[in-house]
Amino acid sequence: MRVPGILPYQREWLRADIVAGLAAGAVIIPQAMAYATVAHMPVQFGLYTCMLPLVVYAFIGGSRTTSVTTTSTIATLSASTMVGAGIAAGSSDAQ
């Protein structure tokens, strides 16, 4: 039986995971800080939301291909679909 999370980690994955982590961090960290600023929260909250959940997921998560970030791809796609359909926040009708 394989235990999910960091326990079944293989040493061969380390180099690729470090490169992937640095590349993702270059995008996710500034984005999380910007979202905190837009929400009128201290910038540190953005850093907490992009780092702490990832560390927790590394130990308890079971999928190596799951995307765990501050933003949700599905929410972004849903919003762009709604805007494309003419539905906006506060609007009483769709065009």
mmCIF file with all atom_site columns, all heavy atoms in Angstrom, residues 33-62:
data_model
loop_
_atom_site.group_PDB
_atom_site.id
_atom_site.type_symbol
_atom_site.label_atom_id
_atom_site.label_alt_id
_atom_site.label_comp_id
_atom_site.label_asym_id
_atom_site.label_entity_id
_atom_site.label_seq_id
_atom_site.pdbx_PDB_ins_code
_atom_site.Cartn_x
_atom_site.Cartn_y
_atom_site.Cartn_z
_atom_site.occupancy
_atom_site.B_iso_or_equiv
_atom_site.pdbx_formal_charge
_atom_site.auth_seq_id
_atom_site.auth_comp_id
_atom_site.auth_asym_id
_atom_site.auth_atom_id
_atom_site.pdbx_PDB_model_num
ATOM 1   N N   . MET A 1 33 ? 0.400   38.079 -4.182  1.00 0.00 ? 33 MET A N   1
ATOM 2   C CA  . MET A 1 33 ? 0.560   39.380 -3.535  1.00 0.00 ? 33 MET A CA  1
ATOM 3   C C   . MET A 1 33 ? -0.375  40.420 -4.162  1.00 0.00 ? 33 MET A C   1
ATOM 4   O O   . MET A 1 33 ? -0.951  41.256 -3.455  1.00 0.00 ? 33 MET A O   1
ATOM 5   C CB  . MET A 1 33 ? 2.017   39.827 -3.628  1.00 0.00 ? 33 MET A CB  1
ATOM 6   C CG  . MET A 1 33 ? 2.960   38.963 -2.810  1.00 0.00 ? 33 MET A CG  1
ATOM 7   S SD  . MET A 1 33 ? 4.711   39.225 -3.138  1.00 0.00 ? 33 MET A SD  1
ATOM 8   C CE  . MET A 1 33 ? 4.923   40.912 -2.654  1.00 0.00 ? 33 MET A CE  1
ATOM 9   N N   . ALA A 1 34 ? -0.540  40.359 -5.470  1.00 0.00 ? 34 ALA A N   1
ATOM 10  C CA  . ALA A 1 34 ? -1.451  41.291 -6.152  1.00 0.00 ? 34 ALA A CA  1
ATOM 11  C C   . ALA A 1 34 ? -2.893  41.039 -5.737  1.00 0.00 ? 34 ALA A C   1
ATOM 12  O O   . ALA A 1 34 ? -3.651  41.996 -5.511  1.00 0.00 ? 34 ALA A O   1
ATOM 13  C CB  . ALA A 1 34 ? -1.292  41.149 -7.661  1.00 0.00 ? 34 ALA A CB  1
ATOM 14  N N   . TYR A 1 35 ? -3.297  39.778 -5.638  1.00 0.00 ? 35 TYR A N   1
ATOM 15  C CA  . TYR A 1 35 ? -4.669  39.474 -5.208  1.00 0.00 ? 35 TYR A CA  1
ATOM 16  C C   . TYR A 1 35 ? -4.924  39.971 -3.788  1.00 0.00 ? 35 TYR A C   1
ATOM 17  O O   . TYR A 1 35 ? -6.000  40.474 -3.496  1.00 0.00 ? 35 TYR A O   1
ATOM 18  C CB  . TYR A 1 35 ? -4.956  37.978 -5.285  1.00 0.00 ? 35 TYR A CB  1
ATOM 19  C CG  . TYR A 1 35 ? -5.288  37.499 -6.672  1.00 0.00 ? 35 TYR A CG  1
ATOM 20  C CD1 . TYR A 1 35 ? -4.669  36.378 -7.202  1.00 0.00 ? 35 TYR A CD1 1
ATOM 21  C CD2 . TYR A 1 35 ? -6.218  38.156 -7.456  1.00 0.00 ? 35 TYR A CD2 1
ATOM 22  C CE1 . TYR A 1 35 ? -4.967  35.928 -8.471  1.00 0.00 ? 35 TYR A CE1 1
ATOM 23  C CE2 . TYR A 1 35 ? -6.510  37.730 -8.731  1.00 0.00 ? 35 TYR A CE2 1
ATOM 24  C CZ  . TYR A 1 35 ? -5.894  36.613 -9.238  1.00 0.00 ? 35 TYR A CZ  1
ATOM 25  O OH  . TYR A 1 35 ? -6.195  36.179 -10.489 1.00 0.00 ? 35 TYR A OH  1
ATOM 26  N N   . ALA A 1 36 ? -3.944  39.859 -2.912  1.00 0.00 ? 36 ALA A N   1
ATOM 27  C CA  . ALA A 1 36 ? -4.111  40.373 -1.553  1.00 0.00 ? 36 ALA A CA  1
ATOM 28  C C   . ALA A 1 36 ? -4.279  41.890 -1.577  1.00 0.00 ? 36 ALA A C   1
ATOM 29  O O   . ALA A 1 36 ? -5.116  42.448 -0.852  1.00 0.00 ? 36 ALA A O   1
ATOM 30  C CB  . ALA A 1 36 ? -2.915  39.982 -0.694  1.00 0.00 ? 36 ALA A CB  1
ATOM 31  N N   . THR A 1 37 ? -3.515  42.570 -2.408  1.00 0.00 ? 37 THR A N   1
ATOM 32  C CA  . THR A 1 37 ? -3.627  44.020 -2.523  1.00 0.00 ? 37 THR A CA  1
ATOM 33  C C   . THR A 1 37 ? -4.990  44.423 -3.062  1.00 0.00 ? 37 THR A C   1
ATOM 34  O O   . THR A 1 37 ? -5.622  45.358 -2.556  1.00 0.00 ? 37 THR A O   1
ATOM 35  C CB  . THR A 1 37 ? -2.514  44.569 -3.447  1.00 0.00 ? 37 THR A CB  1
ATOM 36  O OG1 . THR A 1 37 ? -1.250  44.168 -2.923  1.00 0.00 ? 37 THR A OG1 1
ATOM 37  C CG2 . THR A 1 37 ? -2.569  46.078 -3.540  1.00 0.00 ? 37 THR A CG2 1
ATOM 38  N N   . VAL A 1 38 ? -5.475  43.726 -4.077  1.00 0.00 ? 38 VAL A N   1
ATOM 39  C CA  . VAL A 1 38 ? -6.790  44.014 -4.652  1.00 0.00 ? 38 VAL A CA  1
ATOM 40  C C   . VAL A 1 38 ? -7.894  43.798 -3.617  1.00 0.00 ? 38 VAL A C   1
ATOM 41  O O   . VAL A 1 38 ? -8.882  44.532 -3.579  1.00 0.00 ? 38 VAL A O   1
ATOM 42  C CB  . VAL A 1 38 ? -7.036  43.138 -5.910  1.00 0.00 ? 38 VAL A CB  1
ATOM 43  C CG1 . VAL A 1 38 ? -8.469  43.205 -6.369  1.00 0.00 ? 38 VAL A CG1 1
ATOM 44  C CG2 . VAL A 1 38 ? -6.101  43.567 -7.024  1.00 0.00 ? 38 VAL A CG2 1
ATOM 45  N N   . ALA A 1 39 ? -7.724  42.825 -2.749  1.00 0.00 ? 39 ALA A N   1
ATOM 46  C CA  . ALA A 1 39 ? -8.710  42.524 -1.705  1.00 0.00 ? 39 ALA A CA  1
ATOM 47  C C   . ALA A 1 39 ? -8.550  43.421 -0.473  1.00 0.00 ? 39 ALA A C   1
ATOM 48  O O   . ALA A 1 39 ? -9.214  43.207 0.534   1.00 0.00 ? 39 ALA A O   1
ATOM 49  C CB  . ALA A 1 39 ? -8.600  41.068 -1.289  1.00 0.00 ? 39 ALA A CB  1
ATOM 50  N N   . HIS A 1 40 ? -7.659  44.426 -0.576  1.00 0.00 ? 40 HIS A N   1
ATOM 51  C CA  . HIS A 1 40 ? -7.401  45.360 0.531   1.00 0.00 ? 40 HIS A CA  1
ATOM 52  C C   . HIS A 1 40 ? -6.916  44.635 1.785   1.00 0.00 ? 40 HIS A C   1
ATOM 53  O O   . HIS A 1 40 ? -7.309  44.971 2.896   1.00 0.00 ? 40 HIS A O   1
ATOM 54  C CB  . HIS A 1 40 ? -8.634  46.218 0.838   1.00 0.00 ? 40 HIS A CB  1
ATOM 55  C CG  . HIS A 1 40 ? -9.116  46.999 -0.326  1.00 0.00 ? 40 HIS A CG  1
ATOM 56  N ND1 . HIS A 1 40 ? -8.428  48.083 -0.822  1.00 0.00 ? 40 HIS A ND1 1
ATOM 57  C CD2 . HIS A 1 40 ? -10.200 46.847 -1.122  1.00 0.00 ? 40 HIS A CD2 1
ATOM 58  C CE1 . HIS A 1 40 ? -9.080  48.566 -1.864  1.00 0.00 ? 40 HIS A CE1 1
ATOM 59  N NE2 . HIS A 1 40 ? -10.146 47.834 -2.072  1.00 0.00 ? 40 HIS A NE2 1
ATOM 60  N N   . MET A 1 41 ? -6.066  43.656 1.579   1.00 0.00 ? 41 MET A N   1
ATOM 61  C CA  . MET A 1 41 ? -5.463  42.899 2.667   1.00 0.00 ? 41 MET A CA  1
ATOM 62  C C   . MET A 1 41 ? -3.959  43.175 2.650   1.00 0.00 ? 41 MET A C   1
ATOM 63  O O   . MET A 1 41 ? -3.415  43.583 1.634   1.00 0.00 ? 41 MET A O   1
ATOM 64  C CB  . MET A 1 41 ? -5.700  41.392 2.476   1.00 0.00 ? 41 MET A CB  1
ATOM 65  C CG  . MET A 1 41 ? -7.146  40.985 2.381   1.00 0.00 ? 41 MET A CG  1
ATOM 66  S SD  . MET A 1 41 ? -8.036  41.221 3.886   1.00 0.00 ? 41 MET A SD  1
ATOM 67  C CE  . MET A 1 41 ? -7.462  39.844 4.806   1.00 0.00 ? 41 MET A CE  1
ATOM 68  N N   . PRO A 1 42 ? -3.284  42.935 3.765   1.00 0.00 ? 42 PRO A N   1
ATOM 69  C CA  . PRO A 1 42 ? -1.820  43.080 3.753   1.00 0.00 ? 42 PRO A CA  1
ATOM 70  C C   . PRO A 1 42 ? -1.186  42.095 2.763   1.00 0.00 ? 42 PRO A C   1
ATOM 71  O O   . PRO A 1 42 ? -1.686  40.987 2.557   1.00 0.00 ? 42 PRO A O   1
ATOM 72  C CB  . PRO A 1 42 ? -1.415  42.725 5.187   1.00 0.00 ? 42 PRO A CB  1
ATOM 73  C CG  . PRO A 1 42 ? -2.632  42.926 6.004   1.00 0.00 ? 42 PRO A CG  1
ATOM 74  C CD  . PRO A 1 42 ? -3.794  42.626 5.098   1.00 0.00 ? 42 PRO A CD  1
ATOM 75  N N   . VAL A 1 43 ? -0.111  42.524 2.141   1.00 0.00 ? 43 VAL A N   1
ATOM 76  C CA  . VAL A 1 43 ? 0.568   41.699 1.135   1.00 0.00 ? 43 VAL A CA  1
ATOM 77  C C   . VAL A 1 43 ? 0.999   40.355 1.715   1.00 0.00 ? 43 VAL A C   1
ATOM 78  O O   . VAL A 1 43 ? 1.002   39.342 1.013   1.00 0.00 ? 43 VAL A O   1
ATOM 79  C CB  . VAL A 1 43 ? 1.776   42.469 0.560   1.00 0.00 ? 43 VAL A CB  1
ATOM 80  C CG1 . VAL A 1 43 ? 2.541   41.623 -0.433  1.00 0.00 ? 43 VAL A CG1 1
ATOM 81  C CG2 . VAL A 1 43 ? 1.309   43.743 -0.118  1.00 0.00 ? 43 VAL A CG2 1
ATOM 82  N N   . GLN A 1 44 ? 1.313   40.316 2.999   1.00 0.00 ? 44 GLN A N   1
ATOM 83  C CA  . GLN A 1 44 ? 1.760   39.074 3.635   1.00 0.00 ? 44 GLN A CA  1
ATOM 84  C C   . GLN A 1 44 ? 0.693   37.986 3.524   1.00 0.00 ? 44 GLN A C   1
ATOM 85  O O   . GLN A 1 44 ? 1.018   36.806 3.433   1.00 0.00 ? 44 GLN A O   1
ATOM 86  C CB  . GLN A 1 44 ? 2.077   39.297 5.119   1.00 0.00 ? 44 GLN A CB  1
ATOM 87  C CG  . GLN A 1 44 ? 3.209   40.239 5.368   1.00 0.00 ? 44 GLN A CG  1
ATOM 88  C CD  . GLN A 1 44 ? 2.752   41.698 5.454   1.00 0.00 ? 44 GLN A CD  1
ATOM 89  O OE1 . GLN A 1 44 ? 1.708   42.077 4.945   1.00 0.00 ? 44 GLN A OE1 1
ATOM 90  N NE2 . GLN A 1 44 ? 3.559   42.518 6.085   1.00 0.00 ? 44 GLN A NE2 1
ATOM 91  N N   . PHE A 1 45 ? -0.580  38.362 3.524   1.00 0.00 ? 45 PHE A N   1
ATOM 92  C CA  . PHE A 1 45 ? -1.648  37.363 3.408   1.00 0.00 ? 45 PHE A CA  1
ATOM 93  C C   . PHE A 1 45 ? -1.549  36.628 2.073   1.00 0.00 ? 45 PHE A C   1
ATOM 94  O O   . PHE A 1 45 ? -1.825  35.438 1.982   1.00 0.00 ? 45 PHE A O   1
ATOM 95  C CB  . PHE A 1 45 ? -3.025  38.004 3.554   1.00 0.00 ? 45 PHE A CB  1
ATOM 96  C CG  . PHE A 1 45 ? -3.378  38.386 4.963   1.00 0.00 ? 45 PHE A CG  1
ATOM 97  C CD1 . PHE A 1 45 ? -2.433  38.441 5.968   1.00 0.00 ? 45 PHE A CD1 1
ATOM 98  C CD2 . PHE A 1 45 ? -4.679  38.697 5.290   1.00 0.00 ? 45 PHE A CD2 1
ATOM 99  C CE1 . PHE A 1 45 ? -2.754  38.792 7.262   1.00 0.00 ? 45 PHE A CE1 1
ATOM 100 C CE2 . PHE A 1 45 ? -5.028  39.046 6.587   1.00 0.00 ? 45 PHE A CE2 1
ATOM 101 C CZ  . PHE A 1 45 ? -4.059  39.093 7.571   1.00 0.00 ? 45 PHE A CZ  1
ATOM 102 N N   . GLY A 1 46 ? -1.182  37.342 1.027   1.00 0.00 ? 46 GLY A N   1
ATOM 103 C CA  . GLY A 1 46 ? -0.983  36.704 -0.273  1.00 0.00 ? 46 GLY A CA  1
ATOM 104 C C   . GLY A 1 46 ? 0.130   35.683 -0.232  1.00 0.00 ? 46 GLY A C   1
ATOM 105 O O   . GLY A 1 46 ? 0.028   34.609 -0.812  1.00 0.00 ? 46 GLY A O   1
ATOM 106 N N   . LEU A 1 47 ? 1.207   36.016 0.479   1.00 0.00 ? 47 LEU A N   1
ATOM 107 C CA  . LEU A 1 47 ? 2.313   35.065 0.616   1.00 0.00 ? 47 LEU A CA  1
ATOM 108 C C   . LEU A 1 47 ? 1.883   33.835 1.410   1.00 0.00 ? 47 LEU A C   1
ATOM 109 O O   . LEU A 1 47 ? 2.241   32.713 1.065   1.00 0.00 ? 47 LEU A O   1
ATOM 110 C CB  . LEU A 1 47 ? 3.503   35.740 1.297   1.00 0.00 ? 47 LEU A CB  1
ATOM 111 C CG  . LEU A 1 47 ? 4.175   36.843 0.492   1.00 0.00 ? 47 LEU A CG  1
ATOM 112 C CD1 . LEU A 1 47 ? 5.213   37.555 1.330   1.00 0.00 ? 47 LEU A CD1 1
ATOM 113 C CD2 . LEU A 1 47 ? 4.780   36.295 -0.773  1.00 0.00 ? 47 LEU A CD2 1
ATOM 114 N N   . TYR A 1 48 ? 1.105   34.049 2.469   1.00 0.00 ? 48 TYR A N   1
ATOM 115 C CA  . TYR A 1 48 ? 0.621   32.913 3.258   1.00 0.00 ? 48 TYR A CA  1
ATOM 116 C C   . TYR A 1 48 ? -0.256  31.998 2.415   1.00 0.00 ? 48 TYR A C   1
ATOM 117 O O   . TYR A 1 48 ? -0.149  30.777 2.508   1.00 0.00 ? 48 TYR A O   1
ATOM 118 C CB  . TYR A 1 48 ? -0.177  33.385 4.470   1.00 0.00 ? 48 TYR A CB  1
ATOM 119 C CG  . TYR A 1 48 ? 0.589   34.241 5.452   1.00 0.00 ? 48 TYR A CG  1
ATOM 120 C CD1 . TYR A 1 48 ? -0.066  35.208 6.194   1.00 0.00 ? 48 TYR A CD1 1
ATOM 121 C CD2 . TYR A 1 48 ? 1.961   34.097 5.630   1.00 0.00 ? 48 TYR A CD2 1
ATOM 122 C CE1 . TYR A 1 48 ? 0.618   36.011 7.101   1.00 0.00 ? 48 TYR A CE1 1
ATOM 123 C CE2 . TYR A 1 48 ? 2.661   34.892 6.526   1.00 0.00 ? 48 TYR A CE2 1
ATOM 124 C CZ  . TYR A 1 48 ? 1.980   35.846 7.259   1.00 0.00 ? 48 TYR A CZ  1
ATOM 125 O OH  . TYR A 1 48 ? 2.662   36.629 8.142   1.00 0.00 ? 48 TYR A OH  1
ATOM 126 N N   . THR A 1 49 ? -1.135  32.578 1.601   1.00 0.00 ? 49 THR A N   1
ATOM 127 C CA  . THR A 1 49 ? -2.063  31.750 0.828   1.00 0.00 ? 49 THR A CA  1
ATOM 128 C C   . THR A 1 49 ? -1.394  30.998 -0.308  1.00 0.00 ? 49 THR A C   1
ATOM 129 O O   . THR A 1 49 ? -1.944  30.012 -0.796  1.00 0.00 ? 49 THR A O   1
ATOM 130 C CB  . THR A 1 49 ? -3.219  32.580 0.244   1.00 0.00 ? 49 THR A CB  1
ATOM 131 O OG1 . THR A 1 49 ? -2.696  33.557 -0.667  1.00 0.00 ? 49 THR A OG1 1
ATOM 132 C CG2 . THR A 1 49 ? -4.031  33.240 1.317   1.00 0.00 ? 49 THR A CG2 1
ATOM 133 N N   . CYS A 1 50 ? -0.220  31.445 -0.729  1.00 0.00 ? 50 CYS A N   1
ATOM 134 C CA  . CYS A 1 50 ? 0.430   30.699 -1.817  1.00 0.00 ? 50 CYS A CA  1
ATOM 135 C C   . CYS A 1 50 ? 1.488   29.730 -1.314  1.00 0.00 ? 50 CYS A C   1
ATOM 136 O O   . CYS A 1 50 ? 1.901   28.854 -2.053  1.00 0.00 ? 50 CYS A O   1
ATOM 137 C CB  . CYS A 1 50 ? 1.008   31.650 -2.866  1.00 0.00 ? 50 CYS A CB  1
ATOM 138 S SG  . CYS A 1 50 ? 2.475   32.544 -2.400  1.00 0.00 ? 50 CYS A SG  1
ATOM 139 N N   . MET A 1 51 ? 1.915   29.857 -0.052  1.00 0.00 ? 51 MET A N   1
ATOM 140 C CA  . MET A 1 51 ? 2.969   28.971 0.445   1.00 0.00 ? 51 MET A CA  1
ATOM 141 C C   . MET A 1 51 ? 2.477   27.920 1.426   1.00 0.00 ? 51 MET A C   1
ATOM 142 O O   . MET A 1 51 ? 2.791   26.741 1.272   1.00 0.00 ? 51 MET A O   1
ATOM 143 C CB  . MET A 1 51 ? 4.075   29.799 1.089   1.00 0.00 ? 51 MET A CB  1
ATOM 144 C CG  . MET A 1 51 ? 4.842   30.619 0.098   1.00 0.00 ? 51 MET A CG  1
ATOM 145 S SD  . MET A 1 51 ? 6.158   31.498 0.919   1.00 0.00 ? 51 MET A SD  1
ATOM 146 C CE  . MET A 1 51 ? 6.715   32.549 -0.380  1.00 0.00 ? 51 MET A CE  1
ATOM 147 N N   . LEU A 1 52 ? 1.740   28.318 2.412   1.00 0.00 ? 52 LEU A N   1
ATOM 148 C CA  . LEU A 1 52 ? 1.313   27.370 3.442   1.00 0.00 ? 52 LEU A CA  1
ATOM 149 C C   . LEU A 1 52 ? 0.468   26.214 2.903   1.00 0.00 ? 52 LEU A C   1
ATOM 150 O O   . LEU A 1 52 ? 0.739   25.061 3.239   1.00 0.00 ? 52 LEU A O   1
ATOM 151 C CB  . LEU A 1 52 ? 0.586   28.101 4.571   1.00 0.00 ? 52 LEU A CB  1
ATOM 152 C CG  . LEU A 1 52 ? 1.464   29.044 5.399   1.00 0.00 ? 52 LEU A CG  1
ATOM 153 C CD1 . LEU A 1 52 ? 0.637   29.743 6.470   1.00 0.00 ? 52 LEU A CD1 1
ATOM 154 C CD2 . LEU A 1 52 ? 2.629   28.318 6.016   1.00 0.00 ? 52 LEU A CD2 1
ATOM 155 N N   . PRO A 1 53 ? -0.536  26.468 2.056   1.00 0.00 ? 53 PRO A N   1
ATOM 156 C CA  . PRO A 1 53 ? -1.299  25.332 1.535   1.00 0.00 ? 53 PRO A CA  1
ATOM 157 C C   . PRO A 1 53 ? -0.453  24.344 0.730   1.00 0.00 ? 53 PRO A C   1
ATOM 158 O O   . PRO A 1 53 ? -0.688  23.141 0.771   1.00 0.00 ? 53 PRO A O   1
ATOM 159 C CB  . PRO A 1 53 ? -2.364  25.978 0.646   1.00 0.00 ? 53 PRO A CB  1
ATOM 160 C CG  . PRO A 1 53 ? -2.495  27.365 1.154   1.00 0.00 ? 53 PRO A CG  1
ATOM 161 C CD  . PRO A 1 53 ? -1.129  27.742 1.636   1.00 0.00 ? 53 PRO A CD  1
ATOM 162 N N   . LEU A 1 54 ? 0.555   24.855 0.019   1.00 0.00 ? 54 LEU A N   1
ATOM 163 C CA  . LEU A 1 54 ? 1.409   23.959 -0.770  1.00 0.00 ? 54 LEU A CA  1
ATOM 164 C C   . LEU A 1 54 ? 2.257   23.057 0.116   1.00 0.00 ? 54 LEU A C   1
ATOM 165 O O   . LEU A 1 54 ? 2.450   21.883 -0.192  1.00 0.00 ? 54 LEU A O   1
ATOM 166 C CB  . LEU A 1 54 ? 2.309   24.784 -1.691  1.00 0.00 ? 54 LEU A CB  1
ATOM 167 C CG  . LEU A 1 54 ? 1.580   25.612 -2.743  1.00 0.00 ? 54 LEU A CG  1
ATOM 168 C CD1 . LEU A 1 54 ? 2.575   26.449 -3.526  1.00 0.00 ? 54 LEU A CD1 1
ATOM 169 C CD2 . LEU A 1 54 ? 0.778   24.739 -3.666  1.00 0.00 ? 54 LEU A CD2 1
ATOM 170 N N   . VAL A 1 55 ? 2.738   23.604 1.208   1.00 0.00 ? 55 VAL A N   1
ATOM 171 C CA  . VAL A 1 55 ? 3.536   22.796 2.142   1.00 0.00 ? 55 VAL A CA  1
ATOM 172 C C   . VAL A 1 55 ? 2.658   21.718 2.777   1.00 0.00 ? 55 VAL A C   1
ATOM 173 O O   . VAL A 1 55 ? 3.047   20.548 2.866   1.00 0.00 ? 55 VAL A O   1
ATOM 174 C CB  . VAL A 1 55 ? 4.196   23.687 3.218   1.00 0.00 ? 55 VAL A CB  1
ATOM 175 C CG1 . VAL A 1 55 ? 4.837   22.853 4.309   1.00 0.00 ? 55 VAL A CG1 1
ATOM 176 C CG2 . VAL A 1 55 ? 5.211   24.614 2.576   1.00 0.00 ? 55 VAL A CG2 1
ATOM 177 N N   . VAL A 1 56 ? 1.465   22.101 3.189   1.00 0.00 ? 56 VAL A N   1
ATOM 178 C CA  . VAL A 1 56 ? 0.532   21.138 3.782   1.00 0.00 ? 56 VAL A CA  1
ATOM 179 C C   . VAL A 1 56 ? 0.187   20.056 2.768   1.00 0.00 ? 56 VAL A C   1
ATOM 180 O O   . VAL A 1 56 ? 0.209   18.865 3.068   1.00 0.00 ? 56 VAL A O   1
ATOM 181 C CB  . VAL A 1 56 ? -0.739  21.837 4.308   1.00 0.00 ? 56 VAL A CB  1
ATOM 182 C CG1 . VAL A 1 56 ? -1.792  20.827 4.714   1.00 0.00 ? 56 VAL A CG1 1
ATOM 183 C CG2 . VAL A 1 56 ? -0.398  22.752 5.470   1.00 0.00 ? 56 VAL A CG2 1
ATOM 184 N N   . TYR A 1 57 ? -0.108  20.463 1.521   1.00 0.00 ? 57 TYR A N   1
ATOM 185 C CA  . TYR A 1 57 ? -0.471  19.484 0.491   1.00 0.00 ? 57 TYR A CA  1
ATOM 186 C C   . TYR A 1 57 ? 0.679   18.527 0.182   1.00 0.00 ? 57 TYR A C   1
ATOM 187 O O   . TYR A 1 57 ? 0.453   17.361 -0.128  1.00 0.00 ? 57 TYR A O   1
ATOM 188 C CB  . TYR A 1 57 ? -0.921  20.185 -0.797  1.00 0.00 ? 57 TYR A CB  1
ATOM 189 C CG  . TYR A 1 57 ? -1.459  19.198 -1.797  1.00 0.00 ? 57 TYR A CG  1
ATOM 190 C CD1 . TYR A 1 57 ? -2.753  18.711 -1.672  1.00 0.00 ? 57 TYR A CD1 1
ATOM 191 C CD2 . TYR A 1 57 ? -0.670  18.715 -2.822  1.00 0.00 ? 57 TYR A CD2 1
ATOM 192 C CE1 . TYR A 1 57 ? -3.238  17.776 -2.559  1.00 0.00 ? 57 TYR A CE1 1
ATOM 193 C CE2 . TYR A 1 57 ? -1.149  17.787 -3.711  1.00 0.00 ? 57 TYR A CE2 1
ATOM 194 C CZ  . TYR A 1 57 ? -2.434  17.323 -3.579  1.00 0.00 ? 57 TYR A CZ  1
ATOM 195 O OH  . TYR A 1 57 ? -2.918  16.394 -4.444  1.00 0.00 ? 57 TYR A OH  1
ATOM 196 N N   . ALA A 1 58 ? 1.911   18.999 0.282   1.00 0.00 ? 58 ALA A N   1
ATOM 197 C CA  . ALA A 1 58 ? 3.060   18.119 0.023   1.00 0.00 ? 58 ALA A CA  1
ATOM 198 C C   . ALA A 1 58 ? 3.070   16.920 0.958   1.00 0.00 ? 58 ALA A C   1
ATOM 199 O O   . ALA A 1 58 ? 3.499   15.829 0.591   1.00 0.00 ? 58 ALA A O   1
ATOM 200 C CB  . ALA A 1 58 ? 4.362   18.904 0.163   1.00 0.00 ? 58 ALA A CB  1
ATOM 201 N N   . PHE A 1 59 ? 2.569   17.121 2.173   1.00 0.00 ? 59 PHE A N   1
ATOM 202 C CA  . PHE A 1 59 ? 2.577   16.038 3.146   1.00 0.00 ? 59 PHE A CA  1
ATOM 203 C C   . PHE A 1 59 ? 1.310   15.191 3.141   1.00 0.00 ? 59 PHE A C   1
ATOM 204 O O   . PHE A 1 59 ? 1.358   14.013 3.471   1.00 0.00 ? 59 PHE A O   1
ATOM 205 C CB  . PHE A 1 59 ? 2.827   16.598 4.553   1.00 0.00 ? 59 PHE A CB  1
ATOM 206 C CG  . PHE A 1 59 ? 4.235   17.059 4.744   1.00 0.00 ? 59 PHE A CG  1
ATOM 207 C CD1 . PHE A 1 59 ? 4.546   18.399 4.631   1.00 0.00 ? 59 PHE A CD1 1
ATOM 208 C CD2 . PHE A 1 59 ? 5.253   16.159 4.994   1.00 0.00 ? 59 PHE A CD2 1
ATOM 209 C CE1 . PHE A 1 59 ? 5.852   18.835 4.787   1.00 0.00 ? 59 PHE A CE1 1
ATOM 210 C CE2 . PHE A 1 59 ? 6.555   16.581 5.150   1.00 0.00 ? 59 PHE A CE2 1
ATOM 211 C CZ  . PHE A 1 59 ? 6.860   17.923 5.038   1.00 0.00 ? 59 PHE A CZ  1
ATOM 212 N N   . ILE A 1 60 ? 0.175   15.769 2.778   1.00 0.00 ? 60 ILE A N   1
ATOM 213 C CA  . ILE A 1 60 ? -1.070  14.997 2.859   1.00 0.00 ? 60 ILE A CA  1
ATOM 214 C C   . ILE A 1 60 ? -1.719  14.723 1.514   1.00 0.00 ? 60 ILE A C   1
ATOM 215 O O   . ILE A 1 60 ? -2.630  13.913 1.430   1.00 0.00 ? 60 ILE A O   1
ATOM 216 C CB  . ILE A 1 60 ? -2.097  15.680 3.786   1.00 0.00 ? 60 ILE A CB  1
ATOM 217 C CG1 . ILE A 1 60 ? -2.536  17.024 3.221   1.00 0.00 ? 60 ILE A CG1 1
ATOM 218 C CG2 . ILE A 1 60 ? -1.557  15.811 5.182   1.00 0.00 ? 60 ILE A CG2 1
ATOM 219 C CD1 . ILE A 1 60 ? -3.692  17.653 3.962   1.00 0.00 ? 60 ILE A CD1 1
ATOM 220 N N   . GLY A 1 61 ? -1.263  15.379 0.464   1.00 0.00 ? 61 GLY A N   1
ATOM 221 C CA  . GLY A 1 61 ? -1.875  15.203 -0.853  1.00 0.00 ? 61 GLY A CA  1
ATOM 222 C C   . GLY A 1 61 ? -1.495  13.895 -1.497  1.00 0.00 ? 61 GLY A C   1
ATOM 223 O O   . GLY A 1 61 ? -0.442  13.328 -1.220  1.00 0.00 ? 61 GLY A O   1
ATOM 224 N N   . GLY A 1 62 ? -2.335  13.436 -2.387  1.00 0.00 ? 62 GLY A N   1
ATOM 225 C CA  . GLY A 1 62 ? -2.093  12.149 -3.011  1.00 0.00 ? 62 GLY A CA  1
ATOM 226 C C   . GLY A 1 62 ? -1.833  12.190 -4.503  1.00 0.00 ? 62 GLY A C   1
ATOM 227 O O   . GLY A 1 62 ? -1.531  11.183 -5.104  1.00 0.00 ? 62 GLY A O   1
#
